[in-house]
Amino acid sequence: MFFISHVCSALSDGRRLLRRLAQLYTGLMLYGLSSALLLRGGLGLEPWGVLHQGLAEQSGLSVGTTSAATGVLVLLFWIPIRQRPGLGTVSNVLIVGVALDGALSLLPVVHEPAGRIALLLGGILLNGTAIGLYITAGFGPGPRDGLMTGLQKLTGQSTRRVRTAIEVLVVVSGFLLGGSAGIGTFFYALSVGPLAQYFLHRFSS
């Protein structure tokens, strides 16, 4: 009976691990797709997306490549604030940029206002879904999320204040580099928090 119980427990653990891995990589790919939808919508990007696009404009690299490069750079800032990366952290750097560039190569350019609004709304909804999926998988935060939580612990400031300061900085920097900040950026800032909270609860239950 002990042997059977042990085998059943191992199988259950294996299934749980596979489910978490599937959840992680689905979430990361959807995050890249959501960023591509916002880019094609052309009404304004998420804060870090503004920076990635601005860097792409200046460097001639793809937006996905600048997203990955920025992720690596942000990870270097984890060292002095003593954050430890996990599988989800490294996967975030590798997967999101590839998914973003892949989606951009498939999505058509949309000029009609109704279509652009639909891309904006779909991108924001998908972004909140993706955040809920990859965070509840439990393999560690993405580079940008880890920077936020690390600085919050280091400074003792509230998470909201630290996140706001970081996102204002990256939006302004990205905009000055040529990134697209607009009404979509503002709407994203208002809506992604409640959406992420909803999906975090949904996927953790």
Side-chain angles (χ1 to χ4, degrees), residues 27-90:
L28 294 177
M29 288 187 288
L30 290 180
Y31 196 99
L33 175 57
S34 73
S35 295
L37 292 175
L38 293 173
L39 272 163
R40 283 290 183 254
L43 295 174
L45 305 175
E46 74 277 21
W48 283 96
V50 179
L51 179 60
H52 300 153
Q53 187 186 42
L55 290 171
E57 290 288 332
Q58 297 300 318
S59 66
L61 300 172
S62 70
V63 181
T65 300
T66 58
S67 172
T70 302
V72 172
L73 180 62
V74 170
L75 281 179
L76 295 179
F77 287 99
W78 280 36
I79 298 172
I81 60 176
R82 298 181 181 180
Q83 290 288 91
R84 293 184 178 180
L87 175 63
T89 311
V90 177

Side-chain angles (χ1 to χ4, degrees), residues 14-187:
R15 285 194 295 267
R16 190 177 299 111
L17 176 61
L18 289 174
R19 180 185 62 78
R20 290 173 58 212
L21 286 170
Q23 189 171 319
L24 169 67
Y25 290 111
T26 298
L28 294 177
M29 288 187 288
L30 290 180
Y31 196 99
L33 175 57
S34 73
S35 295
L37 292 175
L38 293 173
L39 272 163
R40 283 290 183 254
L43 295 174
L45 305 175
E46 74 277 21
W48 283 96
V50 179
L51 179 60
H52 300 153
Q53 187 186 42
L55 290 171
E57 290 288 332
Q58 297 300 318
S59 66
L61 300 172
S62 70
V63 181
T65 300
T66 58
S67 172
T70 302
V72 172
L73 180 62
V74 170
L75 281 179
L76 295 179
F77 287 99
W78 280 36
I79 298 172
I81 60 176
R82 298 181 181 180
Q83 290 288 91
R84 293 184 178 180
L87 175 63
T89 311
V90 177
S91 297
N92 185 295
V93 174
L94 297 175
I95 301 297
V96 172
V98 173
L100 170 55
D101 280 347
L104 284 175
S105 69
L106 298 174
L107 291 170
V109 176
V110 176
H111 300 287
E112 297 80 8
R116 295 173 69 189
I117 292 172
L119 287 172
L120 170 65
L121 297 178
I124 292 173
L125 178 61
L126 198 60
N127 192 274
T129 306
I131 291 171
L133 279 169
Y134 81 74
I135 288 181
T136 55
F139 286 104
R144 298 151 189 84
D145 295 325
L147 177 65
M148 177 189 67
T149 56
L151 288 175
Q152 187 272 326
K153 292 176 183 176
L154 183 67
T155 63
Q157 298 294 322
S158 68
T159 300
R160 181 175 64 179
R161 184 171 295 179
V162 172
R163 176 168 181 165
T164 299
I166 292 172
E167 293 190 345
V168 167
L169 177 63
V170 298
V171 166
V172 172
S173 301
F175 181 74
L176 292 175
L177 290 169
S180 176
I183 187 63
T185 308
F186 178 73
F187 189 65

